[in-house]
Amino acid sequence: MTVSQREIDNAARAINAGELVAFPTETVYGLGADALNKDAIRKVFALKGRPSTNPLIVHCRGIAHARMFAADWPDHAHDLANRFWPGPLTIVVRKNAFIPPIATANGDTVALRVPANDTARALIEAASVPLVGPSANPSGTISPTTAQHVQDAFPDLLVLDDGPCTTGVESTVVTFAHVTPRVLRPGVLGHEELGVAPFEATSGSDGSSSDPKTSPGLFKSHYAPRARLVLDQDVPGAERLHLPDNAADAARELYARLRALDSTGTDTIVANTPKGTGPIWDAIRDRLRRAAAPAD
Ligand code: TXA
Ligand code: MG
């Protein structure tokens, strides 16, 4: 951890005062606020320009902390929490009354996660509250994997800089609420390893859903660069996305490379859909498809 305890304490004071702080996680940087403070949560939606129908993930200290906010805690969810927390897994369960409705878009479920990053964990510990933590980017744009990415979009925001994120794509979201346990958002942890049903990209013809039982906010056009992203086609004059051959390296580099190409000012970025197998490549393909989907 490259962040000092002094910086952590300072950030925790800001959180406790109802302010926002960007913090690193192993996946992407998060926009943190006190998950028990509805005014602070309102600021998160406002700063991101996030639709109020898209619920937030609540970041917790550990399993016991997360369970405080759950109305149900199925055995299978517990087993996964035991095996993969801290780590890039978000578990959706039925919520109790502790987390304000605004955080969960008035739904009856809550998404819980224990991040595997020492700075994130120290911040949750020092603030003594769970933190909402959407990715620290304006809604619909590429998630930030460095503190600089956050600062580029939000120059006035306090950012805890712990260097580049090691995983690079957002956590796998798994739901245990209402339905057969299944993946709502692919991530580096795959459905087979988790023992749940796979992700299905079928949440309505426009790819979006406002039904919290399915995949709220998993809008088809998401994670998008400013330039148009075209998959598996050549476009003269376009910038081309190259990814490392190793899946973990590719996931770690994906967003920074898309940003770098975007910042050339090009109109068009082209990419080949990677052919690799396994959950990490599945997650990368998912993000590329979303980035290439036309904005609504
Ligand atoms: O890796 C991550 O998960 C990062 C880091 C910062 O923790 N956070 C993140 O948050 O990606 P965000 O808000 O950008 O994405 C959260 C996803 C959204 O697609 C949202 O719709 C879904 O999780 N989600 C949140 N609460 C949910 C719920 N109660 N039921 C179903 N999906 C939910
Ligand atoms: Mg996001």
Side-chain angles (χ1 to χ4, degrees):
M1 174 167 104
T2 56
V3 178
S4 69
Q5 190 60 43
R6 220 183 107 114
E7 290 172 273
I8 299 280
D9 291 339
N10 181 44
R13 269 192 298 277
I15 294 286
N16 291 141
E19 301 302 327
L20 311 187
V21 175
F23 64 100
T25 80
E26 77 278 38
T27 58
V28 301
Y29 275 73
L31 181 59
D34 178 352
L36 304 177
N37 179 338
K38 63 180 188 328
D39 295 323
I41 298 167
R42 200 169 288 126
K43 292 182 193 170
V44 170
F45 281 96
L47 185 63
K48 278 184 65 78
R50 182 172 176 117
S52 61
T53 49
N54 191 359
L56 304 177
I57 296 174
V58 176
H59 295 68
C60 300
R61 208 180 296 132
I63 295 180
H65 193 207
R67 287 183 69 163
M68 286 175 58
F69 310 110
D72 288 340
W73 189 247
D75 289 345
H76 189 169
H78 189 67
D79 174 57
L80 294 185
N82 249 323
R83 282 163 58 204
F84 296 105
W85 280 356
L89 173 68
T90 294
I91 295 177
V92 175
V93 291
R94 278 158 39 80
K95 77 185 279 280
N96 64 23
F98 284 120
I99 301 292
I102 184 180
T104 56
N106 290 309
D108 61 355
T109 63
V110 61
L112 300 164
R113 157 158 150 77
V114 177
N117 173 283
D118 288 342
T119 298
R121 305 192 74 202
L123 178 62
I124 298 168
E125 191 66 46
S128 295
V129 287
L131 301 180
V132 291
S135 49
N137 54 303
S139 189
T141 69
I142 302 172
S143 293
T145 53
T146 68
Q148 187 63 53
H149 295 162
V150 180
Q151 257 144 15
D152 289 345
F154 303 124
D156 298 332
L157 185 66
L158 177 58
V159 185
L160 294 173
D161 184 353
D162 196 23
C165 299
T166 53
T167 299
V169 296
E170 301 84 349
S171 60
T172 306
V173 179
V174 173
T175 183
F176 288 92
H178 312 294
V179 292
T180 309
R182 66 182 179 93
V183 171
L184 292 180
R185 179 177 68 184
V188 302
L189 297 172
H191 74 98
E192 285 175 352
E193 190 173 8
L194 301 172
V196 301
F199 172 67
E200 286 171 41
T202 55
S203 46
S205 57
D206 66 348
S208 69
S209 170
S210 57
D211 179 356
K213 289 192 283 304
T214 56
S215 36
L218 291 181
F219 302 110
K220 198 169 69 178
S221 176
H222 213 108
Y223 314 98
R226 181 197 43 74
R228 175 173 73 116
L229 177 65
V230 174
L231 298 179
D232 304 314
Q233 250 176 274
D234 278 326
V235 178
E239 294 285 341
R240 176 167 289 277
L241 175 70
H242 295 283
L243 289 175
D245 294 335
N246 174 274
D249 293 342
R252 190 184 307 119
E253 293 287 325
L254 174 67
Y255 289 151
R257 293 201 181 182
L258 277 173
R259 279 171 181 271
L261 294 176
D262 219 9
S263 69
T264 63
T266 188
D267 291 341
T268 309
I269 300 169
V270 294
N272 291 333
T273 302
K275 300 278 184 288
T277 55
I280 304 180
W281 285 116
D282 288 343
I284 292 168
R285 277 188 288 272
D286 170 76
R287 301 309 190 272
L288 286 173
R289 263 183 232 118
R290 292 179 204 264
D296 302 325

